[in-house]
Amino acid sequence: MKTTFLLLSFLFVIQPAKSQVKSPEPFGPLPTQKQVDWHEMEFYAFVHFSLNTFTNKEWGYGDESPELFNPTNLDVRQWARVVKQAGMKGIILVAKHHDGFCLWPSAYTERSVKNSPWEKGKGDLVKELAAACKEYDLKLGLYLSPWDRNHPQYGKPEYITYFRNQLKELLTNYGDVFEMWFDGANGGDGYYGGANEMRKINSLEYYNWDETYKLIYQTAPKTLVWGVGPSEARWIGNEEGRAGKTNWSLLRQKDELAGKVNYTEFVSGHEDGEKWVPGEADVSIRPGWFYHAVEDDKVRPLDEMVDIYYESIGRNANLLLNLPVDRRGLVNENDEVRLNELVATIKSDFKTELLAGSKVTADNVRGNSTEFAAKNVTDGNKNSYWATDDAVKTASVEFDFDKPTAINRVLLQEYIKLGQRVKAFSVEAKVDGQWKTVANETTIGYKRILRFDRVLASALKINITDSKASIVISNIQAYNAPTFVKSPEIQRDKNGTVTMKAEEGDVIYYTVNGKTPTIKSTLYKETFKYNKAVQIKAVAFNKEENISSAITTAKYGISKERWKVLSASSGDMNTVNRIIDGNPNTDWGFGNDSNKLPQEITIDMGAFIKIKGFTYFPQQVGNNLNLISHYEFYTSADNMKWTKQSEGEFSNIKNNPVEQVKMFGETKARYIRFVAVSSVTKAQTVSIAEINVVE
Ligand code: FUL
């Protein structure tokens, strides 16, 4: 009886104090509930699979026959299974890419699956995928390219009606669509119903986005719209899946729609943006967006995938990871293996949370109330948070451990329903009784994850050192991720000299016979010469912890030892060897006059070689890359009579400046000539990082 009374009076005392303290007022632009739900999805897949898969292109011109779409073993349930197993939350399918081919039987065009051999023209890929997503509890998103290089009326008002009709089809016939993706590539040359011409449009005006968005929201209010127009989420400004360390979910979208924002600003958003437009980082698991067999051994290395994860999801952006479905119609096994490795690494990094059992205190708690107490950041409830008094914009929260605890990751989340506030923060660890700063950072947002060298800490402290308004943090976690040994880098120069690099303290073992390297293989001590065709495989090894890296594989043809650049139509011949030095980070440009294209370069390979393609590595280093958009490639036996082996465009090179591979029928040649026909940016010199042949 007495205890009950005491308990009741205790509750009675606490209760009024709780309700007297008001919650913090929202600050600045806020996310809608739709956007909050979208943030919580974090990680989902992209699928590029269309005519390009069968024509081996990145951008179709618009004249390819629908009959080429002929997967032998298409299985969307396999896609869904792979995606689900990776813990991703949805799939965005490219329903129509720039060449205009539709993966659903649109009533408005003949250029679709209905005129392909797949399922005898009766198939509907969007429908099949929608069903598979439902079965695997995944959300479906769709990409509809505004640019259509096939449509005869592209550039005219009639096309806009067509575009909107297709939007309506996609948004009404397939259930909920969580995200509608509008790509920024708009206008250029194309087939356009046989006109074969250049059509330039102003993408801010041509599509009348306000009207288009109205239509979308009337038809599908649950759909979040990404990309061009007054969108609810933005591109992160690169196709490498990396957000800025500073990343605001805000954007000056009015300026953007007035053409006053350069896309390079997307990487960090705008601190003073007037609208909540969070970043989505898109990247393909391979160099290209569409499947190309030559990229089967070019799946991004595990190290890179792990970095991408930490630099997207760990930097307040969602990660949209592309799995280029292959010609069979399946997620390729090489991609699946890498994806699983990534997921396993991330899982083990975040295996055991370390702060939940600690003593949590803060130097300011809003109204001294339990409702906003510091320990809310470790309670696992996304709707509770630690908040400070209105006037308090700098404060610290401390976690004390019973015993020294090893830590090398910290994860933080603001309660974004009240706005993104934090401008700067630091992390300190108490090591041997001394506070030591382990990180100095800027924004947090929906989620921020920090990686730092392992510390053995008796306490951890997060100092918010600058904030737009009072502090509102919903979650802080810490982990001790296993040591990650980075795979070695392998490089071979023109003369066949091989150099390998690993992180300091790690050793490298390698093989040159295709076998898997182990600690019993050859130990790398210094550079060595290997000028024959070879596949080098190397592994780095951390002796202290007895851990190996993932394996790096590098494939080379005969070295370019005998190669000589014979002539170039302009440019400095003293440095021209950079294009054959085996190092993509050094480049060489045609002379300043090279805006007068075409320009050409002729190489003597020193011997007859059987080749079936060539590669052009565009400039990699620098801000304004001098990229070639159209090319011609010739071979010769005698440097007199030349045969054109290939010509065309380097599609999407501006956004994705990866090595460009162009294949042709096998031929024997000694001389090669590469012609830069036109450039991405006019009035700029064009350059080459590396030219190579495919043997
Ligand atoms: C780009 C497009 O041009 C590419 O082909 C790809 O679809 C990528 C996701 O967006 O800008």
Side-chain angles (χ1 to χ4, degrees), residues 249-482:
S249 288
L250 312 177
L251 195 69
R252 290 194 301 271
Q253 196 174 63
K254 282 191 190 131
D255 282 355
E256 190 213 342
L257 294 173
K260 291 187 204 150
V261 172
N262 187 285
Y263 72 89
T264 51
E265 295 166 48
F266 292 162
V267 76
S268 292
H270 294 136
E271 184 181 329
D272 60 351
E274 80 283 348
K275 187 173 161 188
W276 191 274
V277 190
E280 179 189 79
D282 59 326
V283 65
S284 184
I285 200 161
R286 296 170 175 232
W289 290 99
F290 285 92
Y291 175 82
H292 309 288
V294 290
E295 293 181 358
D296 277 350
D297 58 3
K298 293 207 176 111
V299 181
R300 286 183 201 268
L302 178 61
D303 301 37
E304 200 180 326
M305 293 309 300
V306 171
D307 284 347
I308 285 171
Y309 183 91
Y310 279 103
E311 293 183 23
S312 55
I313 293 177
R315 290 184 178 173
N316 190 32
N318 277 7
L319 174 55
L320 173 58
L321 177 65
N322 184 59
L323 304 169
V325 162
D326 66 20
R327 285 189 181 176
R328 294 168 302 175
L330 301 173
V331 174
N332 188 268
E333 30 284 73
N334 297 8
D335 301 344
E336 188 181 350
V337 166
R338 189 53 35 81
L339 177 63
N340 291 342
E341 286 171 357
L342 168 70
V343 172
T345 306
I346 298 302
K347 264 198 188 141
S348 68
D349 283 5
F350 298 97
K351 198 166 160 208
T352 313
E353 205 288 309
L354 302 166
L355 301 184
S358 69
K359 189 173 145 245
V360 194
T361 48
D363 57 8
N364 180 282
V365 170
R366 192 173 180 80
N368 282 323
S369 123
T370 50
E371 192 180 350
F372 304 112
K375 70 170 172 31
N376 289 345
V377 300
T378 59
D379 68 357
N381 176 355
K382 64 181 182 186
N383 291 316
S384 72
Y385 48 84
W386 162 52
T388 60
D389 289 322
D390 281 343
V392 176
K393 297 178 190 166
T394 59
S396 299
V397 57
E398 187 176 320
F399 307 87
D400 289 277
F401 305 115
D402 290 343
K403 53 175 196 299
T405 302
I407 295 176
N408 59 7
R409 300 281 185 280
V410 164
L411 180 155
L412 305 104
Q413 293 188 280
E414 285 186 80
Y415 184 71
I416 56 168
K417 284 185 180 173
L418 295 177
Q420 188 180 353
R421 299 157 173 247
V422 174
K423 289 167 69 168
F425 70 101
S426 67
V427 181
E428 287 178 275
K430 202 173 199 175
V431 181
D432 296 331
Q434 297 281 317
W435 283 110
K436 181 181 161 197
T437 304
V438 294
N440 249 315
E441 297 292 332
T442 53
T443 53
I444 297 177
Y446 164 72
K447 188 175 270 188
R448 186 72 203 275
I449 310 173
L450 306 178
R451 290 185 286 183
F452 47 83
D453 289 342
R454 184 174 295 128
V455 284
L456 195 61
S458 58
L460 191 79
K461 193 154 64 173
I462 311 292
N463 308 303
I464 308 294
T465 51
D466 196 4
S467 179
K468 287 179 167 181
S470 62
I471 297 157
V472 184
I473 307 278
S474 68
N475 186 26
I476 303 180
Q477 299 176 341
Y479 296 89
N480 179 29

Side-chain angles (χ1 to χ4, degrees), residues 154-169:
Y154 183 79
K156 301 188 186 123
E158 290 85 342
Y159 172 74
I160 301 302
T161 310
Y162 172 77
F163 177 61
R164 291 191 186 151
N165 281 337
Q166 292 203 322
L167 257 178
K168 264 190 263 169
E169 283 185 315

Side-chain angles (χ1 to χ4, degrees), residues 46 48 58-59 97-98 143 181 183 185 239 282 289 652 655:
F46 217 174
H48 279 69
E58 278 290 292
W59 284 2
H97 201 250
H98 310 327
Y143 169 132
W181 222 85
D183 190 63
E239 294 186 355
D282 59 326
W289 290 99
N652 200 30
N655 290 332

